[in-house]
Amino acid sequence: MCALLQAGIMQCERTTVHQVSMSLKGFASRIFGQGKAAPPSLDLKIDCFREVLQANNAALGCMATIQQVLAGEKHASAAEVRRLVTGVTVQTYRMVVNLTRMTGSKYRAIVPRFEELKEWITKRVEVTPVLSEVGPVIPLSEVGAGLAEVVGQKSAFLGEARRILGGHVPDGFVTTVTAYRELMCAGGLGERIAQAMAGAGLENTEGCFRVSAEITRMVEGARIPPALSTALRGAAAELPGGQGLRLAVRSSALQEGGLELSFAGQYRSMLNVTRDGVLEAFKQVIASKYSPQAITYRLGRGFDDHEVAMCCCVISMVDATAAGVLYSACRTEQGEVTLLQAVRGLGLSAVDGSVEPDTYVFDRPREKLLSHKQGVQTSLLRCASGEGTEKLELDSAAAGTPILSEEQANQVARLAWRLDSALGTPIDMEWALDADGKVYVLQVRPQPVHAEEGRTFQKARIEGVPVLLEGGSRASGGAACGDVFAVKTDLDIIRCPRGAVIVTDEANPRLAVLLQHASAIVSDMGEVTGHLATVARELRVPALFATRSATRALKPGILVTVDADAGVVYAGRVEGALAAATPYAEVRRNPHVELLASVAEKITPLTLQDRLASGCSPRKCNTIHDIIRFCHQATVESMFALGDRATRQGAKVRRLVSAVPIDCRVLDLGGGLRDGLGEGDVTIDDVTCIPMRVLWNGMTDPRLKWQMERPVSLKGFMSAIVNYNFDQDVRMRAMGEPSYAFITANYLNLNSRIGYHFSTVDSRIGEAIESNYLSFRFVGGSTGIDQRSRRAQLIQRLLLRSGFETDCRADLINARVRHLPSREMEDKLFLTGLVMGYVNHLDMALVSDGVMRAYEDAFMAGDYGFKGSESMATGDASGS
């Protein structure tokens, strides 16, 4: 299976969540409407139960991630918040639907309760899912913010800009995640890339360059699948502009262009491309995902390669006379301003650090130009007569005049303010001015979180310390010390030592590969809006750009202190500058996390106190977690009832004879028992179900002592008597009533009553790794809630040590493991059987946390017959 097909999971979740609002109501009306539906078959009920268990595990996984985000342990973009809310809603929907299919009208009240919660949550998060699978290309005119997860945020925002600004955004189309997946799956390209990426690492710059070169050759040499090639050529042919039309093919990767993770300058833009050249340009942009700086950036920011699918935005080329970048809300010491920077010719020069652009500062409320600063530009980039670009030297007269008139600068700013207001967020906008004086918007994204670093901040210099360089723009604040290392070539990048102060003539984005380990960076050219400046601010590396003379003033090998806040480089180590460095402002509160927090109150809390669905009204479910718990409990009860009914109706249910003190009845759904068996009881040797045999081998391991008496305190014994007589939750099934195992050759569903507790094991083990899973649920006991809860905690601790995902609440523990090879799955299932035998009646002994830890240590040491000591019955674990 193509490794990169994982990107399709989010698309499936988005499609399904919209259907919740429609199909659940329709489904309920079919079930509860006119006429009585036929009762579901045994096979259908078991299939529904499996669906509920799988959905339960997936929903609990989403909730765990939500809690990690709210605790600050994980980053969350807007897309991630939507994905999490969508995921938990979809999986809960699966549980509600399958419970209803399984039980008919018994729990019909759960449907409207789920609808109420779902409506409340999804309206606030504004989940607007894609309703069908998207094709490989979409016209830009049909793209909006709701497509960000299938076309990338940059394309989605440009589509929004076209809707708002009309003809000020060029015609074009976008390629989707589907197109990227199709290329990656062709000829096993994705798998080969994954193998090569295994050799990349943050600590090995030379290795990153080697891996980059290898993967770039793979992608650029790949054959585009015929259907994708036809779609790309067709989309290019439909664009207006005649035979002479030229195109720009720009990156729009997933995760690119976020508030805190910009991926600024990490990928290529292919300019002045003919219609026939779109296919090669498409591959080259995708290949740029594997530039050394992009690999380093992704690894440093914690992204797996498969998380960042590369889409493209293809628009009509603007042969610009001037172009640049604008920040609509840039914070400075003088307050919030709009910062516009401009270069002559194509806008690449404004962001690649090769020139110092002209700078225009606007008062946004008054829409007034406050200042203009002349930059330094001796050459410009323009479209070549064929394809690509060429550089043209400027004469001194042209270089010395302002790039934009005041009116032209105002035109650019007014377009940005319209977008800022319509989108409701400060923006980072790339723009171009054509030969006729028309302004075009080429790229829009939310303004980076650290854009407020500003260029007008100034800190007092330290007197009496030799100054080697002063002036320039504070591209990223702070102060740092290190030895100067001049970087001119890629070989210099590979040789650059950790902790160096990088000195360069151009602030080229390719130098981002060094920022993970550099102390500071100083450049002759470049500006605050450049791509390298953006990455430096994200990584909090002090950066001083547009110094005009750094490469002459700072000699390689000398020790210097760069104080970007003061706009100066000192000789030697200057402790005063380092100690007085202005700390970074607190990162602005993440609005996406705040949005998630606002709906989490209806998702994650568990308010349902009843441990049995039969003792609880669905109307008591106040949260999504309550509904998840209710559905899970109701299906478990239904499975016990299903086994009882099958026995009463004379189904071929066999009693399993075993040393384990469980009255276990086996119902073979096909291939679970050996052929040729006569009537009567069976033994485990008659069972051909792989999961059943493995679990039972764990449960009957000779090192376990099922009938062993453990030291029990009088308090624990009396608690057991009281709880058995008065706790109806514990007495869901009377002592001695049978447990049931539903089996096939590769599948087991065991619902068991052992003593006073209940456990469910649901597992499939086969050759298809992606279909292998194990789900384990354990609840109850004979003692008070404290001791029952300690047993659940003990189970959780033992399973966590073996790689299970777990969710533990009071005396209920859910555990799961998925997608492992069959041999590893068998090991996990055997361990589950061991744990089930080990904890039998153990709640009566767990009178303190110390005792619990003693039993944990014994199990981990392989002492499965550990029985503690008399002193432990009083809560003293020292006797262990």
Side-chain angles (χ1 to χ4, degrees):
M1 187 174 106
C2 180
L4 294 167
L5 284 177
Q6 299 173 54
I9 294 172
M10 287 168 55
Q11 172 70 14
C12 294
E13 291 178 342
R14 272 195 311 275
T15 301
T16 310
V17 79
H18 176 79
Q19 297 168 344
V20 170
S21 62
M22 301 302 295
S23 60
L24 185 54
K25 293 174 181 175
F27 174 78
S29 68
R30 292 196 301 274
I31 293 292
F32 308 133
Q34 298 293 327
K36 188 173 181 180
S41 67
L42 175 63
D43 287 347
L44 177 60
K45 287 188 174 184
I46 292 173
D47 286 343
C48 290
F49 182 68
R50 293 165 70 179
E51 282 286 313
V52 168
L53 291 181
Q54 292 170 6
N56 177 77
N57 290 342
L60 293 177
C62 288
M63 285 200 299
T65 304
I66 288 172
Q67 290 167 329
Q68 288 176 308
V69 169
L70 296 179
E73 297 171 7
K74 283 193 173 183
H75 170 77
S77 63
E80 178 69 1
V81 168
R82 290 195 301 272
R83 187 189 70 81
L84 290 171
V85 173
T86 297
V88 75
T89 307
V90 165
Q91 300 305 333
T92 308
Y93 164 65
R94 278 179 69 193
M95 297 181 76
V96 170
V97 165
N98 283 284
L99 172 63
T100 307
R101 283 178 175 150
M102 186 178 183
T103 62
S105 62
K106 183 176 182 179
Y107 300 112
R108 63 185 300 171
I110 199 69
V111 173
R113 188 67 192 112
F114 171 75
E115 278 290 320
E116 292 172 21
L117 289 168
K118 186 267 300 179
E119 291 290 339
W120 189 91
I121 292 167
T122 55
K123 280 182 179 178
R124 281 157 180 78
V125 179
E126 296 183 341
V127 176
T128 53
V130 178
L131 304 183
S132 61
E133 180 68 21
V134 297
V137 298
I138 302 175
L140 185 60
S141 59
E142 298 177 12
V143 172
L147 286 173
E149 292 179 23
V150 291
V151 301
Q153 184 160 275
K154 285 168 62 176
S155 288
F157 268 85
L158 192 62
E160 285 290 305
R162 183 177 174 84
R163 176 181 60 81
I164 296 163
L165 302 180
H168 287 286
V169 175
D171 294 310
F173 64 90
V174 301
T175 69
T176 67
V177 171
T178 300
Y180 175 76
R181 291 202 308 264
E182 289 179 5
L183 179 64
M184 289 296 108
C185 289
L189 179 60
E191 284 84 353
R192 289 186 285 126
I193 288 174
Q195 292 172 1
M197 280 294 295
L202 276 175
E203 304 301 321
N204 186 354
T205 303
E206 184 175 358
C208 275
F209 272 81
R210 184 176 61 253
V211 168
S212 171
E214 179 183 355
I215 297 177
T216 298
R217 285 194 299 271
M218 290 182 194
V219 177
E220 291 184 348
R223 180 175 178 270
I224 297 178
L228 176 56
S229 175
T230 299
L232 290 170
R233 290 183 186 278
E238 290 177 5
L239 292 177
Q243 283 299 110
L245 177 69
R246 293 293 188 268
L247 302 170
V249 183
R250 303 162 71 95
S251 69
S252 181
L254 299 193
Q255 316 294 347
E256 183 182 6
L259 282 170
E260 297 180 60
L261 301 169
S262 67
F263 286 78
Q266 305 305 298
Y267 308 130
R268 291 185 70 179
S269 291
M270 304 303 297
L271 305 179
N272 198 30
V273 176
T274 65
R275 294 182 201 263
D276 291 339
V278 164
L279 297 185
E280 287 303 312
F282 168 73
K283 288 196 296 183
Q284 288 181 319
V285 171
I286 289 178
S288 73
K289 177 187 167 186
Y290 298 100
S291 68
Q293 63 267 26
I295 291 173
T296 302
Y297 185 97
R298 281 198 301 278
L299 293 176
R301 307 301 267 177
F303 285 100
D304 289 334
D305 185 60
H306 68 80
E307 291 182 88
V308 187
M310 176 62 79
C311 307
C312 296
C313 183
V314 183
I315 58 175
S316 298
M317 185 72 200
V318 178
D319 193 1
T321 59
V325 179
L326 178 145
Y327 286 165
S328 67
C330 186
R331 297 180 187 177
T332 70
E333 285 189 312
Q334 289 72 42
E336 191 169 86
V337 300
T338 294
L339 179 67
L340 183 157
Q341 297 196 313
V343 297
R344 291 177 175 82
L346 300 177
L348 183 61
S349 301
V351 293
D352 69 0
S354 62
V355 305
E356 179 189 336
D358 279 14
T359 299
Y360 301 80
V361 178
F362 290 86
D363 180 329
R364 164 73 182 275
R366 294 187 294 162
E367 297 190 2
K368 179 182 179 181
L369 180 63
L370 297 178
S371 66
H372 166 240
K373 176 196 168 189
Q374 186 80 28
V376 177
Q377 183 175 7
T378 59
S379 64
L380 61 79
L381 203 65
R382 68 179 184 184
C383 292
S385 57
E387 286 193 84
T389 60
E390 62 184 8
K391 185 174 288 188
L392 176 68
E393 296 300 319
L394 290 171
D395 59 48
S396 57
T401 59
I403 295 173
L404 298 178
S405 68
E406 183 171 343
E407 176 53 32
Q408 288 172 327
N410 273 304
Q411 287 182 46
V412 177
R414 283 194 291 268
L415 290 178
W417 294 331
R418 283 175 61 186
L419 288 176
D420 182 308
S421 297
L423 297 174
T425 182
I427 61 166
D428 169 357
M429 182 181 89
E430 293 187 20
W431 57 272
L433 186 72
D434 72 5
D436 296 326
K438 183 175 180 178
V439 179
Y440 288 91
V441 173
L442 308 179
Q443 178 180 299
V444 181
R445 64 187 179 105
Q447 187 172 295
V449 170
H450 300 298
E452 66 269 18
E453 276 300 295
R455 55 179 298 283
T456 60
F457 187 99
Q458 196 69 22
K459 187 180 76 175
R461 293 175 174 80
I462 297 175
E463 298 295 330
V465 178
V467 172
L468 301 178
L469 179 71
E470 58 183 332
S473 294
R474 176 184 182 259
S476 178
C481 179
D483 293 332
V484 170
F485 188 86
V487 175
K488 297 180 181 178
T489 66
D490 284 351
L491 184 59
D492 294 331
I493 294 176
I494 294 172
R495 292 173 173 171
C496 184
R498 298 174 67 90
V501 170
I502 298 167
V503 175
T504 181
D505 58 349
E506 295 183 1
N508 195 297
R510 78 180 194 282
L511 299 182
V513 72
L514 297 176
L515 293 186
Q516 299 285 346
H517 311 302
S519 292
I521 184 166
V522 186
S523 177
D524 291 345
M525 298 303 227
E527 258 296 351
V528 66
T529 56
H531 291 324
L532 188 63
T534 299
V535 178
R537 290 192 292 271
E538 289 176 11
L539 300 180
R540 301 191 173 187
V541 176
L544 196 58
F545 291 173
T547 63
R548 306 186 182 182
S549 59
T551 51
R552 296 193 303 274
L554 305 178
K555 303 302 180 185
I558 65 171
L559 182 67
V560 300
T561 297
V562 177
D563 189 343
D565 296 328
V568 66
V569 179
Y570 299 109
R573 183 177 181 87
V574 182
E575 296 293 350
L578 299 174
T582 303
Y584 267 77
E586 288 295 317
V587 175
R588 81 177 57 149
R589 298 179 69 184
N590 187 329
H592 313 308
V593 174
E594 292 179 357
L595 177 61
L596 183 60
S598 73
V599 297
E601 63 182 274
K602 294 292 187 182
I603 297 176
T604 58
L606 184 64
T607 69
L608 192 65
Q609 297 303 312
D610 304 81
R611 286 184 288 125
L612 302 182
S614 55
C616 171
S617 166
R619 295 182 179 87
K620 291 183 180 179
C621 294
N622 299 311
T623 67
I624 291 292
H625 199 170
D626 286 345
I627 290 180
I628 292 169
R629 172 66 61 86
F630 180 90
C631 291
H632 192 284
Q633 291 168 181
T635 52
V636 170
E637 290 182 44
S638 296
M639 289 300 287
F640 277 116
L642 178 62
D644 291 341
R645 191 177 305 114
T647 300
R648 290 195 302 269
Q649 294 174 352
K652 198 171 184 179
V653 180
R654 308 289 195 114
R655 188 167 70 92
L656 179 65
V657 178
S658 171
V660 177
I662 305 175
D663 180 7
C664 183
R665 312 294 174 88
V666 178
L667 185 60
D668 183 13
L669 305 178
L673 295 175
R674 65 182 176 85
D675 296 333
L677 286 177
E679 299 296 324
D681 298 341
V682 297
T683 68
I684 195 64
D685 291 334
D686 298 318
V687 175
T688 54
C689 170
I690 294 173
M692 182 72 179
R693 291 180 63 87
V694 172
L695 178 72
W696 218 255
N697 286 339
M699 294 173 69
T700 56
D701 188 287
R703 294 169 292 179
L704 292 171
K705 307 295 181 184
W706 276 89
Q707 307 294 348
M708 179 180 62
E709 293 185 2
R710 292 188 169 101
V712 178
S713 68
L714 178 62
K715 177 181 177 182
F717 178 75
M718 292 305 296
S719 173
I721 297 298
V722 170
N723 274 275
Y724 179 67
N725 283 286
F726 295 103
D727 188 343
Q728 293 303 308
D729 279 352
V730 172
R731 299 181 63 198
M732 181 174 76
R733 295 180 61 77
M735 287 289 292
E737 286 197 4
S739 303
Y740 295 99
F742 302 88
I743 62 174
T744 69
N746 299 105
Y747 172 71
L748 163 68
N749 174 259
L750 172 67
N751 294 276
S752 68
R753 171 65 189 263
I754 306 175
Y756 301 94
H757 67 263
F758 311 95
S759 58
T760 299
V761 178
D762 191 75
S763 179
R764 185 197 181 282
I765 299 179
E767 293 304 314
I769 293 176
E770 63 274 13
S771 298
N772 289 343
Y773 70 91
L774 162 60
S775 174
F776 175 57
R777 181 182 188 267
F778 185 103
V779 65
S782 60
T783 59
I785 189 62
D786 287 349
Q787 287 170 250
R788 300 201 310 260
S789 297
R790 285 194 191 97
R791 178 161 61 178
Q793 291 175 40
L794 174 62
I795 296 171
Q796 180 184 39
R797 292 162 74 100
L798 295 177
L799 296 182
L800 277 173
R801 286 190 175 204
S802 297
F804 282 72
E805 304 171 44
T806 66
D807 170 58
C808 186
R809 302 282 181 134
D811 64 342
L812 170 66
I813 170 74
N814 287 295
R816 53 209 167 269
V817 65
R818 296 164 286 185
H819 307 161
L820 295 177
S822 57
R823 179 68 254 179
E824 294 181 41
M825 289 299 305
E826 290 178 17
D827 291 342
K828 302 297 186 188
L829 195 54
F830 181 85
L831 174 71
T832 303
L834 273 179
V835 170
M836 290 172 67
Y838 186 71
V839 302
N840 183 43
H841 293 304
L842 194 56
D843 56 327
M844 298 181 71
L846 299 180
V847 294
S848 73
D849 291 346
V851 173
M852 179 184 70
R853 286 190 292 271
Y855 277 96
E856 179 187 1
D857 293 343
F859 184 92
M860 297 310 300
D863 185 3
Y864 305 131
F866 179 69
K867 65 178 183 178
S869 64
E870 294 299 326
S871 62
M872 291 173 65
T874 64
D876 179 10
S878 60
S880 64

